[in-house]
Amino acid sequence: MTQQTSAKAIVVFDIDGVVRDVSGSYRRAIADTVEYFTTQAYRPTPLDIDQLKSEGLWNNDWEASQELIYRYFETQGQTREQLQLDYNTIVGFFQSRYRGSDSNNFTGYICNEPLLLQPSYLEQLTQAGIVWGFFSGATRASANYVLEKRLGLESPVLIAMEDAPGKPDPTGLFATVRQLDNGIEQKLAIVYVGDTVADMYTIAKARGLDSARTWIGVGVLPPHVQETAARRDAYSETLQKAGAAVVLNNVQELTPRQIQKLMS
């Protein structure tokens, strides 16, 4: 495959907040779930959710929902042991909002996610000799829905929630790179594009485990933090502190020229 022999770099994309806007879907489902399990006493704001995610440990939205429920009850003087929350029940409720109640067809919030990139952008990368794929904490069904059904990509390289431990563990990133690297002689630079602290920690951990390569973290500001300048700047600073080499307003600003610049 000519693309492989003349490849210049490998770009791996996160999906949520990078390829699709999940502020009205995943994040709305988190808020619904927390509100339901705190019997309408507490609905986390987008800022509450961002603050939790800035800790770098809550990439999984089911676990994030559970953690916010726990923390609310702790403010009410209850311990985690007393609560005995059932994780599977939380996941089931979350999925009923995000995917919908029909197990065969998506009918929930997932159906209305705005796309943040166009297939023509990925084509532009390919033309420039940049190999690309996806590593996401989303379930495979949810990730494939956006990549194949919405964007029309044919069997893209994807490592999803079921395939690897959650971020910031870099196992999934390494697995994605292995698939994309197939048949490439030289050790190409890896660019990982994400919108959270966990994404930036993932690239840092990868760098620590494989110093023979260049690992570059690129931050993207999810749409919901761009509503005010103060919010945008604070979020941008958080991503830079976590290790982002550059922070962009939209993933499509990561042009072949920008990639070249980051590598040099």
Side-chain angles (χ1 to χ4, degrees):
M1 192 173 166
T2 54
Q3 180 199 354
Q4 303 293 51
T5 51
S6 63
K8 296 182 175 70
I10 291 175
V11 177
V12 180
F13 298 98
D14 176 35
I15 293 176
D16 303 331
V18 175
V19 175
R20 61 179 170 192
D21 178 3
V22 295
S23 52
S25 56
Y26 269 127
R27 283 164 177 269
R28 185 177 171 195
I30 290 175
D32 285 359
T33 304
V34 176
E35 185 175 49
Y36 179 81
F37 285 94
T38 59
T39 55
Q40 277 67 51
Y42 169 53
R43 183 177 180 87
T45 65
L47 193 58
D48 293 340
I49 296 168
D50 283 342
Q51 281 172 336
L52 181 77
K53 287 189 172 273
S54 74
E55 294 172 17
L57 302 168
W58 309 104
N59 195 63
N60 179 319
D61 289 331
W62 301 335
E63 291 173 2
S65 300
Q66 178 175 255
E67 183 63 17
L68 286 167
I69 296 162
Y70 273 136
R71 291 188 189 187
Y72 166 75
F73 281 114
E74 283 173 341
T75 68
Q76 306 304 301
Q78 286 181 264
T79 66
R80 296 183 181 223
E81 291 68 33
Q82 283 173 309
L83 289 170
Q84 295 187 314
L85 292 175
D86 182 59
Y87 181 66
N88 290 331
T89 308
I90 291 170
V91 171
F93 181 86
F94 182 103
Q95 292 295 78
S96 75
R97 288 293 196 268
Y98 179 67
R99 292 178 61 161
S101 48
D102 181 345
S103 55
N104 299 316
N105 295 293
F106 288 153
T107 55
Y109 299 157
I110 187 174
C111 300
N112 305 315
E113 293 169 333
L115 295 175
L116 300 173
L117 64 73
Q118 298 306 314
S120 55
Y121 164 70
L122 297 169
E123 186 54 38
Q124 183 193 347
L125 296 185
T126 302
Q127 296 293 333
I130 293 157
V131 185
W132 47 267
F134 303 90
F135 165 44
S136 170
T139 63
R140 181 161 280 277
S142 165
N144 273 333
Y145 178 79
V146 68
L147 298 179
E148 296 184 358
K149 190 163 182 184
R150 302 278 312 279
L151 284 169
L153 305 179
E154 285 184 41
S155 308
V157 168
L158 165 69
I159 297 294
M161 179 198 275
E162 297 89 335
D163 309 318
K167 294 180 262 188
D169 186 312
T171 304
L173 181 58
F174 286 133
T176 315
V177 169
R178 265 197 309 278
Q179 286 191 38
L180 293 168
D181 228 355
N182 191 18
I184 300 177
E185 307 283 308
Q186 75 274 41
K187 287 217 167 221
L188 296 176
I190 309 297
V191 178
Y192 185 49
V193 190
D195 69 316
T196 66
V197 167
D199 294 324
M200 298 308 115
Y201 286 175
T202 302
I203 202 103
K205 285 176 184 276
R207 191 182 296 122
L209 291 167
D210 179 6
S211 57
R213 280 190 187 273
T214 300
W215 299 88
I216 302 163
V218 170
V220 171
L221 297 174
H224 75 274
V225 305
Q226 299 190 48
E227 287 161 13
T228 69
R231 211 48 215 295
R232 187 182 64 232
D233 294 349
Y235 200 96
S236 183
E237 193 181 324
T238 300
L239 289 178
Q240 285 169 327
K241 277 186 182 158
V246 65
V247 178
L248 309 173
N249 292 320
N250 175 269
V251 61
Q252 295 182 140
E253 292 172 16
L254 185 67
T255 59
R257 181 174 287 183
Q258 172 78 320
I259 292 164
Q260 200 61 47
K261 197 171 139 193
L262 287 167
M263 284 161 51
S264 58

